[in-house]
Amino acid sequence: MASAALQIGKDIDGMITFISRWCMETHTAICRWGEMTITLESVAVLLNLPIIGNLDVVLSEEEEEMHATLVRKSEEYVRKDNEEKFFYTWWVSEWFPKETETALVLDDTLHVAAFLSLWLSRDIFDDGSGMKEIRRNLINFAIKLAKGVALPIGSLFLGSLYTHLDCLAADMYASNGYMKVDSYIHVAFLQVWLWEHFKHYAHNPMTSLPDTYGGSRILQWSKKRPRPRSKLVDFLDNMNEINFRPWTPVHASIVQPNTFASAPDITLHSDGVDITVGDVIFM
């Protein structure tokens, strides 16, 4: 949904400007006033992906059988060079045929896990290799998600996004503007994140937050287009243009982690000296 159906327009020049400022060592964008980066809170609010949960993915006996079935199905496809681009279509047709058999139940846990295996492999954790395959190391996650277990997918998504930004920045430097560089970044998310954080860079989003698809904030930018003659480079180095935390309050379904700003006063003890962190921050 967030990848294509929202029809979010992209400012390609603006994204190139942002990526040209990306520092691979710190995972931050360097501006004249300092540094900025994409946070877990951004992922949680915009995509409604959980950032907390249990990463224990030990499978039960029933889940082990599901895992074996999914792995076996992924092995049935013998990939050839001229057929590689059809793999995802094949996977969908195997699990969700157009003419449903009478005895085939499409809403059971196994079919949900099959769909999630595709979703994780294609849309969330694409490694940028261009290979279209069901990644076996993600099947465990798909099964647990299908069973209703909350996993910190948002954290994994952000780590994957950092990796892709690092690779793209390195490729851009190497190409020196003379070679084409393919991007495997979630460009809709990156575009909306930039729009959210720079006040006059984009048109205003929808005033109300749609309830569909979990209430993800990215839905407010559906069918939005870049503002004519608006260039990110005109705002990137102006500290007065940036909104460091544009989402207040957040959607009710988002569980926010406690921070020094939101937690009660905390007293830290160091060498017999009490330092209070809360309403007052000593620097």
Side-chain angles (χ1 to χ4, degrees), residues 66 70 91 108-118 139 142-143 146:
M66 294 173 58
L70 291 169
W91 181 264
D108 62 0
T109 305
L110 180 60
H111 283 81
V112 174
F115 164 75
L116 291 173
S117 297
L118 172 64
I139 291 179
I143 292 173

Side-chain angles (χ1 to χ4, degrees), residues 72-273:
R72 188 164 54 249
K73 178 63 71 173
S74 67
E75 292 174 344
E76 288 181 12
Y77 184 81
V78 180
R79 206 168 50 227
K80 300 178 182 179
D81 291 341
N82 62 339
E83 294 179 345
E84 183 174 337
K85 62 182 178 181
F86 299 116
F87 178 75
Y88 287 146
T89 302
W90 174 86
W91 181 264
V92 172
S93 64
E94 285 293 301
W95 290 101
F96 306 95
K98 293 182 179 179
E99 295 182 3
T100 306
E101 300 175 9
T102 305
L104 184 63
V105 180
L106 296 181
D107 59 350
D108 62 0
T109 305
L110 180 60
H111 283 81
V112 174
F115 164 75
L116 291 173
S117 297
L118 172 64
W119 175 65
L120 293 174
S121 299
R122 187 188 66 180
D123 296 327
I124 302 299
F125 301 115
D126 185 350
D127 62 2
S129 65
M131 295 181 62
K132 296 175 173 60
E133 60 182 353
I134 300 299
R135 308 184 195 286
R136 297 181 191 176
N137 57 341
L138 298 177
I139 291 179
N140 285 10
F141 292 107
I143 292 173
K144 287 297 185 180
L145 289 170
K147 298 283 282 188
V149 178
L151 298 175
I153 297 297
S155 309
L156 300 177
F157 172 84
L158 182 59
S160 177
L161 182 63
Y162 280 169
T163 300
H164 291 170
L165 282 169
D166 291 347
C167 293
L168 184 54
D171 289 343
M172 286 177 60
Y173 294 145
S175 71
N176 198 26
Y178 290 100
M179 293 182 291
K180 180 181 178 180
V181 176
D182 287 334
S183 170
Y184 294 93
I185 292 176
H186 197 313
V187 290
F189 171 81
L190 182 59
Q191 181 64 72
V192 169
W193 183 83
L194 289 169
W195 279 342
E196 288 269 1
H197 283 81
F198 292 95
K199 303 173 185 177
H200 300 106
Y201 173 44
H203 297 288
N204 293 326
M206 288 184 255
T207 55
S208 60
L209 185 65
D211 294 328
T212 55
Y213 300 95
S216 304
R217 187 178 170 101
I218 196 173
L219 293 169
Q220 290 183 310
W221 296 93
S222 177
K223 299 182 180 179
K224 292 293 182 179
R225 294 289 179 268
R227 178 178 289 178
R229 296 180 296 279
S230 178
K231 299 180 180 179
L232 179 63
V233 70
D234 296 334
F235 308 102
L236 198 59
D237 292 321
N238 186 349
M239 188 174 181
N240 295 323
E241 285 291 340
I242 188 170
N243 188 348
F244 289 96
R245 196 170 185 273
W247 33 74
T248 304
V250 299
H251 190 266
S253 65
I254 302 296
V255 178
Q256 294 297 311
N258 286 330
T259 64
F260 283 140
S262 60
D265 288 353
I266 301 172
T267 301
L268 306 179
H269 301 277
S270 176
D271 296 330
V273 179

